[in-house]
Amino acid sequence: MSFKSVVSLIPGLPTQDGNRVPLTRLVPGQGQHGAEAFHAMDPFLLMDHFGPMVLPPGTDAGFPPHPHRGFQTLTYLIQGAFRHRDSTGGSGLLRPGGAQLMNAGSGIIHEEMPVPEHLETGGGIEGVQLWINLPKTEKGTAPGYTDFQPETMPWSAISGGRIRVLAGTWAGVTGPAQTPAKIAYAHLELEAAARFEHSVPAGWTTAVVPLHGAIHLDGTAVPANTVALLGEGDALALVATSPVSLMLLAGEPLREPIAHYGPFVMNTREEIEEALLDYQQGRMGHLD
Ligand code: MN
């Protein structure tokens, strides 16, 4: 087994999106690391760690209606609740430990907003949204939405901690989310000094992202809200240097051209212009 080393440490960028939702943009963010960062993380396009924050009563902090085309979003909620609605008629309540996979495909309009209880009482929110690219052949597929309730992806006990697998297989557990891009994605919690070791398919993009706490990986310290992008090898080994909550991310690169503008990710500039026109002319549907 050959263990991977850290090839780059990418600090997250604190920012806001939607209606004043504070978040840390981890992978990679417009203007933050340039177009090459998309390719470095292929097939992953973006990872936002939103919160942890306490929404005040009466809040409208959330993500009001906006479009997407050409990729998928996998949103995982750690704390709080969100209500999702989209232009295909999809809707769902996202609860702690649950996730939603949205295929933007040929185009969708969706919103993610606080639940009515938050409007009355306020409340804590924390989660992670991952954008996963679609292969060129899948960018025109029908949009859609799938809920994964917490019961369908429970915590599994491992030495020194626990793991919740959202997609692919980690620690012998296979997660429910299935995407055209081959990925393996999990939330891992470890006690201080616990060690986690796991194989990863050779050639897959692999990254470790602590949300809270810190780790050491092959001698490199990785602080919270930082992407540790790993290099060649077929396994990773990390040690928690404090109690840690982290996301494990691995995926087979698509190795296709990427053209990106805001909420659209296509292969060419022409396809981006087409997406803008289709959105402006109402061809991505409507939210009732
Ligand atoms: Mn969105």
Side-chain angles (χ1 to χ4, degrees):
M1 206 156 9
S2 106
F3 286 105
K4 293 171 174 290
S5 301
V6 175
V7 292
S8 55
L9 276 182
I10 310 165
L13 181 74
T15 182
Q16 288 195 348
D17 207 344
N19 277 351
R20 307 176 315 283
V21 180
L23 55 86
T24 304
R25 182 141 293 164
L26 290 154
V27 177
Q30 294 99 299
Q32 189 184 1
H33 306 106
E36 65 281 4
F38 275 134
H39 292 280
M41 292 299 295
D42 185 10
F44 305 109
L45 296 164
L46 178 146
M47 184 188 231
D48 280 344
H49 176 204
F50 51 91
M53 64 189 157
V54 177
L55 298 175
T59 188
D60 64 348
F63 302 91
H66 58 277
H68 290 296
R69 173 181 280 181
F71 61 97
Q72 298 182 306
T73 62
L74 182 52
T75 308
Y76 170 54
L77 203 65
I78 296 169
Q79 184 194 355
F82 256 115
R83 193 171 290 282
H84 162 99
R85 292 196 311 132
D86 68 53
S87 52
T88 70
S91 68
L93 179 66
L94 199 50
R95 296 187 287 128
Q100 59 137 319
L101 176 65
M102 187 178 76
N103 185 47
S106 63
I108 196 167
I109 294 174
H110 79 142
E111 68 170 15
E112 294 141 307
M113 294 300 287
V115 296
E117 300 88 271
H118 276 171
L119 294 175
E120 288 173 25
T121 62
I125 288 273
E126 182 182 11
V128 179
Q129 183 171 88
L130 181 67
W131 290 16
I132 306 150
N133 205 0
L134 282 168
K136 187 180 170 61
T137 52
E138 302 280 332
K139 285 184 184 286
T141 50
Y145 163 88
T146 314
D147 263 337
F148 303 110
Q149 295 303 323
E151 301 74 33
T152 66
M153 36 184 232
W155 287 111
S156 301
I158 56 170
S159 171
R162 58 183 187 167
I163 190 165
R164 189 197 301 279
V165 183
L166 287 89
T169 302
W170 292 98
V173 179
T174 299
Q178 299 205 1
T179 59
K182 290 185 185 131
I183 67 165
Y185 183 45
H187 183 197
L188 176 66
E189 288 183 351
L190 293 175
E191 301 160 4
R195 185 172 192 274
F196 179 81
E197 183 181 315
H198 206 281
S199 62
V200 180
W204 281 31
T205 299
T206 308
V208 177
V209 187
L211 305 177
H212 303 283
I215 58 165
H216 255 90
L217 202 151
D218 193 33
T220 303
V222 185
N225 279 326
T226 300
V227 176
L229 180 62
L230 309 187
E232 291 186 5
D234 56 13
L236 62 83
L238 59 89
V239 176
T241 47
S242 66
V244 69
S245 163
L246 66 86
M247 302 309 289
L248 289 168
L249 202 57
E252 184 177 42
L254 297 173
R255 296 193 178 86
E256 292 177 342
I258 295 173
H260 166 241
Y261 180 78
F264 309 124
V265 182
M266 304 300 293
N267 301 110
T268 66
R269 291 311 307 173
E270 291 71 27
E271 288 165 351
I272 291 292
E273 281 159 28
E274 195 183 347
L276 280 163
L277 203 62
D278 284 349
Y279 172 56
Q280 286 158 5
Q281 297 183 349
R283 284 192 290 268
M284 290 190 190
H286 300 275
L287 255 187
D288 299 322

